[in-house]
Amino acid sequence: MTYLSAGANAPDFTLQDQQNNPVQLSALLKQQRVLVYFYPKAMTPGCTVQACALRDSKAELAAKGVTVVGISTDTPARLAKFAQRDQLNFTLLADEDHKVADAFGVWGEKKFMGKIYDGLHRISFLIAQDGKVEKVFDSFKTKDHHQVVLNYLG
């Protein structure tokens, strides 16, 4: 699996959010940088810890000029339940056919409990306003992801 690296052009995309509204990356980038974080499945323990930490850091991230967008292969309805259950204050996007994940290079072989399957890898990309990948975050624990991003932002 080879995912986008710093300096690469981020593929523009439009996906449905948790309210079934279309969201386009290039439109978000007109406002500020975007942290696009891919996570395997809504409402699972690790994904919940990661999302809640980002929720609690939203003001700090916004103060540093960053909007957060989470992407998984879940349906908009499941994302709505996740957002409501955990009072998430940022956009979740449904990449049901994993085309955006493929474009970013984060869909691929995974191993869990001796089984091999294709799935979404937990990797985040900070996209600069010019559409280029500024930074890739691929080494973190779910509970520390927000802090790794904040540390990078200074």
Side-chain angles (χ1 to χ4, degrees):
M1 186 185 81
T2 304
Y3 48 86
L4 295 180
S5 57
N9 288 319
D12 194 18
F13 60 80
T14 302
L15 292 171
Q16 300 302 115
D17 71 6
Q18 67 263 40
Q19 305 302 323
N20 245 347
N21 296 313
V23 174
Q24 186 175 23
L25 177 62
S26 57
L28 294 174
L29 289 171
K30 289 178 182 173
Q31 307 301 314
Q32 55 188 2
R33 293 182 288 179
V34 177
L35 178 68
V36 176
Y37 89 95
F38 290 90
Y39 63 98
K41 191 162 181 70
M43 296 192 280
T44 56
C47 295
T48 298
V49 166
Q50 183 179 21
C52 289
L54 287 166
R55 172 199 66 202
D56 296 344
S57 302
K58 183 180 180 190
E60 280 181 90
L61 290 162
K64 296 182 181 293
V66 175
T67 297
V68 175
V69 173
I71 299 178
S72 71
T73 55
D74 295 298
T75 64
R78 184 171 174 89
L79 296 178
K81 287 180 188 175
F82 187 31
Q84 183 176 18
R85 184 192 78 175
D86 294 298
Q87 300 177 332
L88 301 180
N89 55 7
F90 55 87
T91 301
L92 299 175
L93 298 174
D95 185 21
E96 294 178 79
D97 58 7
H98 61 81
K99 285 185 179 173
V100 173
D102 283 334
F104 275 79
V106 297
W107 181 265
E109 187 176 283
K110 296 178 78 169
K111 294 177 185 174
F112 182 68
M113 296 181 66
K115 293 183 180 177
I116 298 173
Y117 62 97
D118 282 340
L120 195 56
H121 289 258
R122 190 183 306 275
I123 298 174
S124 298
F125 301 86
L126 182 62
I127 312 299
Q129 284 190 270
D130 65 1
K132 293 193 182 303
V133 176
E134 179 178 328
K135 174 74 173 162
V136 178
F137 301 95
D138 58 0
S139 181
F140 55 84
K141 295 187 182 334
T142 55
K143 65 183 172 82
D144 299 329
H145 176 241
H146 69 291
Q147 195 58 57
V148 170
V149 174
L150 287 168
N151 289 349
Y152 169 78
L153 295 170

